[in-house]
Amino acid sequence: MKRVFKFAMPFLQASLVKQILVGLILGMALGLTFPDAAKSVGFLGTVFVMALKGVAPILVFVLVMSSIANQSDISQGNMHVKPIIVLYLVGTFLAAVIAVGASFLWPTEITLQAAQDTVATPGGIAEVFGNLILQAVDNPVHAIASGNYISILVWAIAMGAVLRQSHSSTREVLLDAAKTVEFIVRLVIRFAPFGIFGIVASTLATTGLEVFAGYLKLLAVLVGTMFFIALVVNPILVWLMIRRNPYPYTLMTLRESGVAAFFTRSSAANIPVNLEICRRLNLPESTYSISIPVGATVNMQGAAITITVLTLAAAFSLDVQVSTATAIFLSFVAALCACGASGVPGGSLMLIPLACGLFGIDQNTAMQVVAVGFIIGVVQDSCETALNSSADALFTIAACKRADRLAGKDISD
């Protein structure tokens, strides 16, 4: 096993962004200059999408089950942590709601190879709930094989809750299993440049440059929503906590934490940056030593936006009618999915099929949406991580300053 890791690590640690950019440029060049040859390399894109389709159900099942089974009472013994967790969850849900609104204001469509009769358009929120219940009680083995993410999620939560009472060695096995699956996912994602090369080349050869207009509009909605959350919604949440101008803290965390996270594209890798910010502000170490690592896995505003916008883009592209009630329900699902997103680059994209299932979008089509996410992920994933990581520090600061305010202490710096 060590030899496998030693062989694979140079490949895994290389810059994925640069590799994707190379694949994107080469795919565009081939699709525009040699369209006949470009159509044949579309096989690479098909292989990549099939690999995603194979690994995503197992990732969701193992990751969620392991996370719940190994979850500890993070608020026990520290009264400051609970408000921070509430901020994380409220912020993630609000991000999904704002993303729904942005998607309806600026609806985007993307090119998907799917027959219209393969999409079972829901008739309303009642039918969505009915389909949800039927999917939830599916056999877990069949659910994993067929990509029924609703059932996978239900079984993972149920088994994880039961296994919380199991022996510590059993939970450690689950942690090892989750790490193993994440390693395999990282391997699959590392082949994204080849898949994107095939997808872009074959798509350009078939549809021409107009396909990129949809990608640019989709990216504009994603990034614009993330900026709105970072500069409007999060400051409002902070003001409600500290009752003073929130922008000094907001801009400071964006500048110091957000910029670093933008380039590392990893909330986990940015934990030391956030810890240093909290240490410099003399926040209680017993609080931020818990809230910052937890935020790296729970506070996923950017992921909620990504899941929501891409799912609705798929629905609009397939002429699926989305009611207001269904869209609000999607916000809950997107927030839940975001909190369970994997820490690997592009981890939030792997949970899009779960949200797509609400609208009867089959797994094959949903995985094409994931592939589109990788194409725009050069910018999207960096902005998503910057929003997530900066909010970890911002909400921790807000909760600690709120505690000081209620205790009558001076919260000015």
Side-chain angles (χ1 to χ4, degrees), residues 3-77:
R3 291 182 178 178
V4 175
F5 275 83
K6 185 177 180 180
F7 173 79
M9 285 313 293
F11 178 60
L12 293 175
Q13 292 174 348
S15 175
L16 183 63
V17 173
K18 294 179 180 179
Q19 293 176 355
I20 289 177
L21 279 174
V22 171
L24 183 62
I25 294 171
L26 292 178
M28 292 176 64
L30 182 63
L32 293 174
T33 54
F34 302 101
D36 292 335
K39 292 179 181 179
S40 63
V41 301
F43 177 73
L44 293 175
T46 303
V47 172
F48 178 61
V49 171
M50 289 297 293
L52 292 174
K53 177 182 174 182
V55 74
I58 300 175
L59 171 70
V60 173
F61 181 74
V62 175
L63 200 65
V64 173
M65 180 172 60
S66 174
S67 176
I68 293 177
N70 289 279
Q71 186 181 35
S72 59
D73 187 359
I74 56 179
S75 62
Q76 184 175 1

Side-chain angles (χ1 to χ4, degrees), residues 56-114:
I58 300 175
L59 171 70
V60 173
F61 181 74
V62 175
L63 200 65
V64 173
M65 180 172 60
S66 174
S67 176
I68 293 177
N70 289 279
Q71 186 181 35
S72 59
D73 187 359
I74 56 179
S75 62
Q76 184 175 1
N78 193 319
M79 64 179 181
H80 300 328
V81 175
K82 189 173 181 179
I84 301 174
I85 304 302
V86 172
L87 276 176
Y88 288 164
L89 298 178
V90 170
T92 300
F93 174 69
L94 288 178
V97 172
I98 297 298
V100 168
S103 296
F104 275 99
L105 286 174
W106 298 284
T108 57
E109 296 185 5
I110 51 181
T111 301
L112 298 173
Q113 298 176 355

Side-chain angles (χ1 to χ4, degrees), residues 181-395:
V181 174
E182 282 200 14
F183 180 80
I184 295 173
V185 172
R186 289 175 63 193
L187 281 176
V188 172
I189 291 176
R190 275 295 171 175
F191 285 94
F194 299 99
I196 288 171
F197 168 72
I199 292 171
V200 170
S202 60
T203 302
L204 270 179
T206 304
T207 63
L209 284 172
E210 59 268 18
V211 68
F212 282 96
Y215 292 167
L216 290 175
K217 184 177 181 181
L218 179 64
L219 186 60
V221 174
L222 280 167
V223 176
T225 305
M226 292 178 189
F227 269 95
F228 183 80
I229 294 296
L231 296 175
V232 178
V233 175
N234 285 352
I236 291 175
L237 292 175
V238 173
W239 180 85
L240 291 173
M241 298 290 286
I242 65 176
R243 300 303 173 91
R244 62 192 297 260
N245 184 6
Y247 282 98
Y249 293 127
T250 301
L251 297 178
M252 182 270 291
T253 52
L254 285 173
R255 182 177 63 252
E256 298 187 19
S257 177
V259 172
F262 181 90
F263 290 102
T264 62
R265 299 172 69 238
S266 171
S267 295
N270 212 49
I271 287 176
V273 176
N274 285 338
L275 291 176
E276 179 58 30
I277 291 173
C278 296
R279 188 179 298 113
R280 192 179 70 242
L281 294 177
N282 295 319
L283 303 184
E285 183 177 358
S286 59
T287 298
Y288 68 73
S289 62
I290 299 175
S291 66
I292 295 299
V294 169
T297 57
V298 174
N299 183 36
M300 292 290 175
Q301 293 178 309
I305 293 170
T306 298
I307 293 169
T308 302
V309 172
L310 284 173
T311 299
L312 289 176
F316 296 149
S317 302
L318 299 172
D319 293 326
V320 176
Q321 300 300 316
V322 182
S323 66
T324 303
T326 305
I328 294 174
F329 184 60
L330 171 64
S331 301
F332 284 102
V333 174
L336 178 63
C337 292
C339 292
S342 171
V344 301
S348 61
L349 300 176
M350 304 299 287
L351 294 170
I352 289 174
L354 197 159
C356 285
L358 294 177
F359 303 102
I361 299 175
D362 64 287
Q363 189 187 16
N364 290 329
T365 306
M367 283 305 170
Q368 294 178 47
V369 181
V370 174
V372 170
F374 278 107
I375 293 175
I376 64 174
V378 175
V379 176
Q380 168 269 326
D381 193 41
S382 294
C383 293
E384 175 183 313
T385 308
L387 173 60
N388 293 340
S389 188
S390 62
D392 294 345
L394 179 63
F395 289 159

Side-chain angles (χ1 to χ4, degrees), residues 132-176:
L132 192 68
I133 294 173
L134 292 177
Q135 293 179 54
V137 297
D138 192 10
N139 180 281
V141 177
H142 179 265
I144 293 176
S146 61
N148 179 357
Y149 287 87
I150 302 299
S151 179
I152 291 171
L153 187 64
V154 169
W155 278 97
I157 292 174
M159 294 184 67
V162 174
L163 288 171
R164 288 189 65 180
Q165 309 301 321
S166 63
H167 195 273
S168 59
S169 59
T170 303
R171 298 196 298 273
E172 289 177 4
V173 170
L174 289 177
L175 279 176
D176 290 338

